[in-house]
């Protein structure tokens, strides 16, 4: 079990998160996929920290966990707001960025 | 040897949980799978001698975030009929895999061909709360403070965004 | 420093008033009036003090505040000067301005825009001071434009009625035509003499080196500017319409001060005009035509303010005759005296209008002498002065002009001037009789006139009576004091004393003839005229000049514009652009299906790109 | 891993499992009996095995058997997600059980230079583990309640989730102030810190040093464990049984047991952090080892007195006083128990005598001290469990909004205030 295993695992997790963001319409799953990608990065950070024997990476990873928590708070608040607005958590229902739907 | 076995078991849970999360049609199963993955990830941290990260992962990622997500599902009462149907889920997932594969492949190739490292010898205290704390407050004070600011902003933002009424 | 104060005080108080009006809820008329009248009062004190210094033979003042523009050879100082001409102008502008401000306090009482009005009014005072004190044509032009702006703002003061806004626009646009001429003249002048400095004294020093033809062109173009500002043919059409503004505005701007700016400017450029007598003749012709035409129109008008407006234009015609013939002193003299009695007339009319609740038709008035003697008698004095009855102020100035005209190479001007004098006497007496003497047509039994409205008339009445003595000609025992004080490049005319007396007698007789005619026709009241004769209809319709302008300028322009809009714009310009924009639109329609507002899809595009790049890198690796 | 370490670890795990699992029937029994006591009635005391009632504990075992053998029934409307539906109670149960695992039952043994912790999970981040794992219990509640497809369950779940979140904060804040005080996250070190004295005579227990933190911590734990007066999650009179409404048989039992284990864990954490843990007041481990002979002598005197009193009490109360009862088994049970207790007394006296008069080895003394400390721990644990139960049956239930208001408006600011004061005091003392 070499460091490479951890790194490959982290990369794979990141890829899975990517697929989730692209393929899913359920806002909750999209949100969790984003969290998953962040966590994959976290795993990589922890691994690098362990490889170098440097705790800076672990600290960074710790800070990243805090960022994940902040992201969760905002994303969930947004989901609540969006759900209240349209009674839906389908990403396809939220297309306010395009002009024709604004009218 | 035993570590290898633990690694592979955890990796199985991790990949399985992650895949289950993006394939499950019901949000609740996604959340359950995600929880599984997060717990397995905590295990990975433990395996990397990052005992504090292990606890932080359990405490924050599992304890707080999953609970919060579930609470949102429950308290906003996003029941079955509000969940998108996603009739072409299989096709979409395939498309996603096709798009993500080259990216992952590139990183993996890069890692395999240009990265050769082994674990450095580490002291016993590596990754413990005291050690991480010392590092954190010795050379990472500014990021730490900034993160606290970020959390405060997120806190206020979450309150403002999810507040009822007043906004038209 | 005191010169700068003359500029800064009114502008500063205008700014203060504007701020107070815009940003505070303060609506105390007392405060606004205090500031609004205080500033002109201060500057008139300063101006009188400085003018007294000039009268005692002090050096003319020059002050350069800062260099405004410095581009290669173009070097424009923001400089002010205070010489004899400025002193005279400044003195009467500020004094009469102060009185009219005082009058306006009474006139505008209760108006919602009280503070705004005084902000504009003080702004006008500042602009006028800038115009009069300018040391070079550029600064003069700035003042020139600013008084135009103030005039525009004040004509359109009651902007809720579209007619007033139209009138304001008309004034502004007519002035722009004149300003175009002015600016062209300045450009040419600068091209000719600019490198050696551009202050009036510098220009005067170099003027002899300029080609005569060019100089004539400059003179004509400058006069075009004066036409616009001073309402001469053919740019006079705005002045009658400008009566839409509040009456104090008409009194201050459209009678006493701003409209004389053209005369002042020509007098300021006297050194230029003496070199080109042909252009002077042209000016005189325009002036006498304007005087005649407007006097004719005035005889048939029924709107009390319009009569005065046409009268103003007619008197301005006199002034241009004077300056055109080279009698600059006489011209400025008439400007000076005219300011007093015309301001007085307008203020009296304003008092009448206020008393009759904004009734302006003279045929609906009458019998007011009983109610407002404090208005009637000053107005009587002003009428006599305007009609040139000795020994009131107008007599001396008008006589000076007529004498200059008679003594010049073209005595026809004198004859026509006398005709105008007759008409003037006629329409002024008609006005006075119909308003004050003829039987009343209204049902008011008691009319109250505020002291604010009547008291400022008294000093002006005094001025109208005695102001002429300052410039009294030699024939009457005076010594042309004003003319000598101004020391402009007057052409010296020689008329024997006897012929002067004869001329004076003639003009007085003519004036009384006019009075008599008016008395015969209107003393016992009259109905609104129903024109029968062709000539009368012409006059009533103001010689169809407005219609002519409409037919000659507006209609063809509109036709051309329509043609441009339909053919050039639609077919050529839009067609070419449409080709491009249509292409873009087609492309955009196709691309916009990609931009469907779904953020996930945007992420998909982005990731597809990354994916392709990754593939490329993998292949290269 | 040495043999001693293996033995100690295995022993600790067994002990923890026993303390967690075997405590459940006892707690259920205690709950019912104390409820009966408070409501002026007897409580369950009839069930017996050959006349043995053990004061009614047997009733609890009967209940367990009933729950185990009950038919597995699934509500018909739960079509999908049955696996997770079954898993949900297990999550809650195992989270509660795991949270208990870092509680130290006795002081660290030092065997041949090796420090052996008497903890099921011998780690030094005990309190963090408790917070991290304890918070997972709520997830099982959320899953189970959501998958029940039931209005009452949904309401209960909403309440559970928001309660969990609101009271996690005062809990964490109280813990932070204690961490500041103890300067450690290790339970053992915390217990060691509490062997000091303050003001010369008071044991430096957490409750003495930080009374406010104790109040905050225990109130928050009452809420976290859904105990009255904060049991709005179940709120029988309002929402049937909350998230447990659609659960039956063993699935229900897991939730049920999970709650008791959580309560037990809470009691254990409270005594570890605020009541000196396994330590006797005034007697640190080192002092106890040093003077264990004297201590044994004292025990030799006290134990017979206690057992005598207990036997008298038992015989008096276990006798048939009423003519209505024809149950001769009671007298038989009392007689048998008396004999058992007397044998136990003799054995104990012998052991104490050995330690008092013979010369035991250092290891023996250490083990004996550990046993004493375990006993002390259990006694404290029981006392605190009884406290939990008494509170439940004494106070009425809060309304849900009142609970939330209490958490956010009072406990949270108080917790922050407490941290503030603690920090100031520590800086002041430290400098």
């Amino acid at each position: 079990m070499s460091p490479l295993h951890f790194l490959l695992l982290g990369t794979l997790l990141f890829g899975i998160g990517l697929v989730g963001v692209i393929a899913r319409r359920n806002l909750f799953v999209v949100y969790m996929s984003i969290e998953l990608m962040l966590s994959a990065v976290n795993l990589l950070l922890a691994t690098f920290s362990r490889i170098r024997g440097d705790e800076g990476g672990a600290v960074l990873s710790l800070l990243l966990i805090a960022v994940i928590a902040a992201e969760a708070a905002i994303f969930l608040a947004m989901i609540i707001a969006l759900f209240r607005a349209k009674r839906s958590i389908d990403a396809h229902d939220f297309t306010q960025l395009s002009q024709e739907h604004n009218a | 040897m035993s570590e290898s076995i633990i690694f592979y078991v955890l990796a199985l849970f991790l990949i399985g949980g992650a895949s289950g999360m993006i394939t499950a049609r019901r949000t609740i199963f996604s959340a359950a799978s995600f929880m599984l993955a997060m717990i397995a990830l905590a295990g990975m941290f433990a395996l990397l001698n990052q005992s504090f990260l292990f606890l932080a992962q359990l405490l924050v990622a599992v304890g707080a975030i999953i609970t919060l997500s579930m609470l949102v599902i429950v308290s906003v009462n996003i029941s079955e009929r509000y969940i998108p149907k996603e009739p072409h889920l299989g096709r979409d997932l395939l498309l996603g895999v096709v798009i993500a594969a080259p990216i992952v492949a590139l990183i993996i190739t890069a890692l395999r061909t240009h990265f050769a490292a082994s674990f450095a010898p580490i002291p016993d205290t590596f990754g413990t709360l005291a050690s991480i704390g010392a590092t954190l407050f010795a050379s990472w004070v500014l990021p730490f403070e900034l993160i606290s600011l970020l959390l405060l902003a997120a806190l206020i933002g979450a309150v403002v965004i999810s507040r009822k009424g007043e906004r038209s | 420093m005191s010169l700068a104060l003359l500029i800064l005080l009114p502008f500063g108080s205008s700014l203060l008033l504007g701020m107070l009006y815009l940003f505070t809820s303060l609506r105390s008329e007392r405060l606004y009036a205090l500031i609004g009248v205080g500033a002109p009062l201060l500057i008139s004190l300063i101006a009188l003090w400085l003018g007294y210094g000039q009268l005692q033979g002090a050096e003319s003042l020059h002050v350069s505040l800062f260099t405004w523009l410095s581009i290669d050879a173009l070097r424009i100082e923001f400089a002010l000067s205070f010489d004899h001409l400025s002193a005279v102008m400044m003195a009467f502008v500020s004094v009469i301005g102060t009185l009219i401000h005082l009058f306006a306090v009474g006139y505008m009482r209760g108006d919602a825009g009280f503070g705004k009005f005084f902000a504009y009014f003080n702004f006008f005072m500042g602009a006028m001071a800038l115009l009069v004190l300018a040391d070079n044509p550029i600064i003069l032009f700035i003042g020139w434009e600013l008084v135009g702006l103030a005039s525009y703002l004040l004509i359109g003061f009651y902007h809720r009625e579209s007619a007033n806004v139209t009138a304001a626009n008309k004034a502004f646009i007519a002035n722009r035509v004149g300003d175009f001429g002015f600016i062209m003249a300045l450009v040419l002048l600068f091209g000719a003499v600019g490198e050696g400095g551009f202050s009036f004294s510098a220009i005067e020093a170099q003027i002899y080196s300029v080609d005569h033809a060019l100089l004539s062109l400059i003179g004509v173009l400058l006069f075009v500017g004066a036409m616009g500002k001073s309402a001469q043919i053919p740019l006079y059409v705005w002045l009658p319409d400008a009566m839409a503004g509040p009456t104090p505005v008409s009194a201050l701007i459209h009678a006493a001060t701003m409209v004389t700016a053209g005369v002042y400017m020509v007098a300021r450029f006297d050194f230029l005009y003496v070199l080109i007598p042909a252009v002077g003749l042209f000016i005189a012709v325009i002036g006498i035509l304007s005087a005649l035409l407007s006097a004719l129109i005035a005889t048939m008008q029924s709107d009390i303010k319009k009569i005065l407006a046409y009268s103003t234009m007619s008197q301005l015609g006199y002034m241009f005759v004077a300056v055109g013939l080279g009698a600059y002193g006489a011209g400025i003299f008439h400007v000076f005296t005219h300011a007093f009695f015309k301001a007085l007339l307008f203020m009296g009319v304003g008092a009448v209008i206020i008393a009759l609740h904004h009734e302006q038709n003279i045929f609906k008035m009458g019998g007011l002498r009983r109610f407002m003697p404090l208005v009637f008698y000053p107005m009587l004095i002003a009428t006599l002065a305007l009609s040139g009855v000795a020994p009131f102020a107008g007599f001396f100035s008008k006589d000076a002009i007529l004498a200059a005209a008679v003594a010049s190479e073209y005595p026809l001007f004198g004859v026509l001037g006398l005709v105008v004098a007759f008409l003037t006497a006629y329409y002024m007496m008609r006005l006075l009789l119909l308003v004050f003497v003829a039987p009343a047509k209204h049902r008011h039994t008691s009319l109250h006139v505020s002291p604010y409205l009547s008291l400022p008339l008294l000093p002006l009445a005094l001025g109208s009576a005695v102001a002429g003595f300052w410039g009294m000609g030699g024939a009457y025992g005076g010594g042309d004091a004003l003319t000598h004080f101004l020391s402009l490049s007057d052409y010296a005319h020689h008329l024997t004393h006897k012929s002067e007396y004869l001329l004076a007698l003639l003009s007085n007789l003519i004036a009384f003839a006019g009075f008599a005619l008016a008395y015969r026709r209107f003393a016992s009241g009259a109905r609104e005229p129903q024109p029968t004769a062709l000539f009368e209809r012409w006059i009533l319709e103001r010689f169809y000049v407005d219609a002519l302008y409409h037919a000659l300028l507006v209609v063809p322009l509109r036709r051309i514009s329509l043609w441009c809009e339909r053919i050039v714009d639609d077919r050529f310009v839009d067609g070419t652009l449409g080709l491009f924009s249509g292409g873009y639109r087609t492309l955009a329609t196709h691309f916009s299906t990609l931009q469907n507002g779904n953020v996930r899809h945007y992420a998909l595009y982005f990731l597809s790109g990354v994916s392709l790049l990754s593939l490329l890198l993998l292949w290269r690796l | 891993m040495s043999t001693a370490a293996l033995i100690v670890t295995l022993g600790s795990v067994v002990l923890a499992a026993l303390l967690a699992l075997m405590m459940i029937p006892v707690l259920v029994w205690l709950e019912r009996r104390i409820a009966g006591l408070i409501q002026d009635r007897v409580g369950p005391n009839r069930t017996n095995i050959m006349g043995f009632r053990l004061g009614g504990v047997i009733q609890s075992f009967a209940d367990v058997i009933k729950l185990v053998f009950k038919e597995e029934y699934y509500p018909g409307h739960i079509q999908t997600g049955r696996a997770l539906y079954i898993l949900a109670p297990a999550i809650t149960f195992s989270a509660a059980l795991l949270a208990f695992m870092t509680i130290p039952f006795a002081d660290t043994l030092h065997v041949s230079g090796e420090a052996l912790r008497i903890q099921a999970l011998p780690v030094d981040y005990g309190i963090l583990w408790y917070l991290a794992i304890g918070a997972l219990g709520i997830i099982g509640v959320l899953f189970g309640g959501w998958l029940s497809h039931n209005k009452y369950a949904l309401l209960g779940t909403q309440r559970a989730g928001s309660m969990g979140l609101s009271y996690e904060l005062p809990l964490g804040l109280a813990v932070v102030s204690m961490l500041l005080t103890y300067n450690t996250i290790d339970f053992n070190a915390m217990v060691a810190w509490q062997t000091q004295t303050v003001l010369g005579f008071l044991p430096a227990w957490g409750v003495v040093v930080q009374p406010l933190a104790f109040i905050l911590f225990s109130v928050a734990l009452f809420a976290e464990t859904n105990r009255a007066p904060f049991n709005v999650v179940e709120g029988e009179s309002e929402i049937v049984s909350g998230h447990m409404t659609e659960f039956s048989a063993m699935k229900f039992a897991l939730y049920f047991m999970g709650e008791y284990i959580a309560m037990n864990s809470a009691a254990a954490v409270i005594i570890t952090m605020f009541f000196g843990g396994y330590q006797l007041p005034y007697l640190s481990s080192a002092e106890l080892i040093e003077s264990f002979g004297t201590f044994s002598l004292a025990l030799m005197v006290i134990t017979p007195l206690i057992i005598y009193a207990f036997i008298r009490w038992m015989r008096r109360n276990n006798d048939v006083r009423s003519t209505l009862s024809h149950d001769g088994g009671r007298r038989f049970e009392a007689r048998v128990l008396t004999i058992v207790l007397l044998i136990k007394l003799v054995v104990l006296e012998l052991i104490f005598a050995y330690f008092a008069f013979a010369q035991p080895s250092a290891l023996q003394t250490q083990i004996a001290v550990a046993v004493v400390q375990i006993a002390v721990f259990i006694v404290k644990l029981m006392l605190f469990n009884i406290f939990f139960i008494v509170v439940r049956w004494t106070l009425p239930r809060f309304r849900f909004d009142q609970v939330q208001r209490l958490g956010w408006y009072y406990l949270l600011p108080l917790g922050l205030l407490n941290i503030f004061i603690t920090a100031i005091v520590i800086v002041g003392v430290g400098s």
Side-chain angles (χ1 to χ4, degrees), chain B residues 26 28-29 31-32 35 51-52 54-55 58-59 62-63 66-68 70-71 73-75 77-79 129, chain D residues 80-81 84 91 125 128-129 131-133 135-136 138-139 142-143 146-147 149 154 157-158 161-162 165 185:
Chain B
R26 292 188 60 183
I28 193 98
F29 294 134
M35 182 178 76
S51 59
F52 183 59
F54 159 67
L55 279 172
L58 275 186
L59 199 59
V62 187
I66 306 272
T67 311
L68 204 60
M70 281 304 300
L71 181 65
I73 297 179
V74 171
S75 62
N77 198 0
I78 305 174
S79 59
L129 176 64
Chain D
T80 54
L84 200 54
I91 294 174
Y125 41 74
L128 281 186
W129 171 269
L131 289 179
I133 300 298
L136 295 189
I138 206 79
I139 292 175
L142 288 166
F143 279 139
W146 177 248
L147 286 168
H149 294 288
L154 183 68
T157 314
Q158 289 179 352
S162 42
L165 283 182
I185 51 167

Side-chain angles (χ1 to χ4, degrees), chain C residues 80-198:
Chain C
L80 306 174
S81 76
F82 193 78
D83 56 9
H84 291 178
L85 182 56
S86 309
V88 172
M89 287 296 286
M90 199 61 219
F92 82 80
V93 165
S94 57
V95 170
I96 290 176
T98 308
L99 289 172
I100 295 176
H101 272 74
L102 204 59
F103 173 78
V105 172
Y107 189 87
M108 297 304 290
R109 168 171 294 164
D111 194 286
F114 192 85
K116 187 170 75 167
F117 181 82
F118 275 96
Y120 289 166
F121 236 36
N122 279 1
F123 174 72
F124 168 76
M125 287 300 284
M128 192 67 200
L130 191 65
L131 192 158
V132 171
L133 295 174
D135 191 36
N136 61 49
I138 303 291
I139 302 302
L140 188 145
F141 185 66
I142 293 173
W144 185 272
E145 288 298 304
L146 288 183
V147 294
L149 173 63
S151 160
Y152 167 76
L153 289 172
L154 286 165
I155 292 170
F157 186 73
Y158 297 124
H159 55 82
R160 292 194 199 285
E161 277 177 44
S162 69
N164 296 349
V165 179
T166 313
N169 283 340
K170 194 170 181 180
F172 206 62
I173 292 164
N175 268 305
R176 287 294 75 68
V177 177
D179 293 341
F180 180 72
F182 196 174
I183 227 171
M184 292 319 287
L186 289 187
V187 168
L188 290 174
L189 192 60
F190 186 80
V193 304
E195 293 189 13
F198 207 51

Side-chain angles (χ1 to χ4, degrees), chain D residues 11 33 70-71 79 92 100 161 194 235 277 292 313 377 408:
Chain D
R33 293 293 294 204
K70 209 170 178 176
E71 184 197 353
Q79 297 296 340
T92 305
F100 191 62
Q194 291 178 74
F292 197 70
W313 177 79
F377 181 80
W408 288 104

Side-chain angles (χ1 to χ4, degrees), chain C residues 152-501:
Chain C
Y152 167 76
L153 289 172
L154 286 165
I155 292 170
F157 186 73
Y158 297 124
H159 55 82
R160 292 194 199 285
E161 277 177 44
S162 69
N164 296 349
V165 179
T166 313
N169 283 340
K170 194 170 181 180
F172 206 62
I173 292 164
N175 268 305
R176 287 294 75 68
V177 177
D179 293 341
F180 180 72
F182 196 174
I183 227 171
M184 292 319 287
L186 289 187
V187 168
L188 290 174
L189 192 60
F190 186 80
V193 304
E195 293 189 13
F198 207 51
S199 70
F200 285 115
S201 50
I203 296 169
E204 188 172 4
Q206 304 168 69
I207 201 73
Y208 301 99
S209 61
V210 184
D211 177 50
H212 188 266
L214 181 61
L215 212 54
S216 303
L217 186 57
I218 291 170
V220 170
L221 286 172
L222 277 177
F223 180 61
V224 169
M227 277 176 190
K229 193 72 41 185
S230 297
Q232 295 298 297
I233 291 175
L235 296 178
Y236 70 93
V237 286
W238 64 270
L239 187 64
D241 288 0
M243 294 302 129
T247 307
V249 176
S250 311
L252 180 62
I253 300 184
H254 305 126
T257 57
M258 183 186 92
V259 288
T260 63
V263 183
Y264 166 76
M265 192 263 285
V266 174
R268 188 45 95 184
F269 278 104
D270 60 345
F271 54 84
L272 191 150
Y273 281 103
V274 292
L275 297 179
I276 39 172
V279 175
L281 190 63
F282 169 66
I283 293 175
V285 169
I286 293 288
I288 200 68
L289 281 181
S290 299
L292 204 55
L293 182 82
S294 51
L296 271 175
I297 295 173
T299 55
M300 294 294 284
Q301 287 294 311
S302 54
D303 184 319
I304 189 165
K305 281 179 79 178
K306 290 218 168 142
I307 295 175
L308 289 182
Y310 281 111
S311 153
T312 301
M313 184 181 152
S314 156
Q315 298 302 311
L316 287 166
Y318 266 128
M319 297 167 203
F320 276 107
V321 170
V323 293
L325 292 176
Y328 301 102
I332 294 297
F333 184 29
H334 197 55
V335 166
F336 178 69
T337 53
H338 174 254
F340 285 98
F341 50 75
K342 191 48 70 61
L344 167 54
L345 281 172
F346 263 110
M347 281 154 70
V349 162
V352 167
I353 289 172
I354 283 285
L356 294 180
H357 301 289
H358 294 275
E359 176 55 63
Q360 299 199 3
N361 192 334
I362 47 172
F363 290 101
K364 293 183 179 166
M365 302 175 182
L368 291 178
R369 184 178 55 173
R370 196 156 49 85
F371 298 114
M372 35 181 76
L374 268 182
V375 176
F376 171 68
Y377 290 108
M379 276 188 77
L380 181 63
I381 294 173
T383 304
L384 293 176
L386 177 59
S387 308
V389 174
F392 297 104
F395 165 72
F396 294 106
S397 54
K398 193 182 273 184
D399 191 58
I401 294 172
L402 287 176
V406 169
S408 72
E409 295 169 54
Y410 314 98
L412 185 60
F413 286 120
V415 176
L416 289 175
L418 284 173
V419 174
V420 173
F422 169 76
L423 291 171
T424 307
Y426 168 71
Y427 67 68
M428 280 316 295
M429 190 46 76
R430 168 174 173 265
L431 184 152
L432 209 63
L433 288 173
L434 280 175
V435 173
F436 289 99
V437 180
K441 301 264 177 57
H442 54 82
R443 282 194 291 275
H444 300 291
T445 49
S446 75
L447 294 165
H448 175 68
V449 181
S450 152
Y452 276 112
L453 296 178
S454 54
L455 287 184
L457 302 185
L458 300 179
L460 285 176
L462 186 67
S464 305
V466 303
F469 294 118
W470 191 21
M472 199 154 60
Y476 313 104
D480 285 326
L482 181 67
T483 313
H484 288 135
F485 176 67
L486 289 170
S487 61
L488 296 166
S489 4
D490 276 340
Y491 103 100
H493 61 86
H494 299 287
L495 211 59
T496 59
H497 283 187
K498 277 191 181 159
S499 32
E500 282 222 20
Y501 295 141

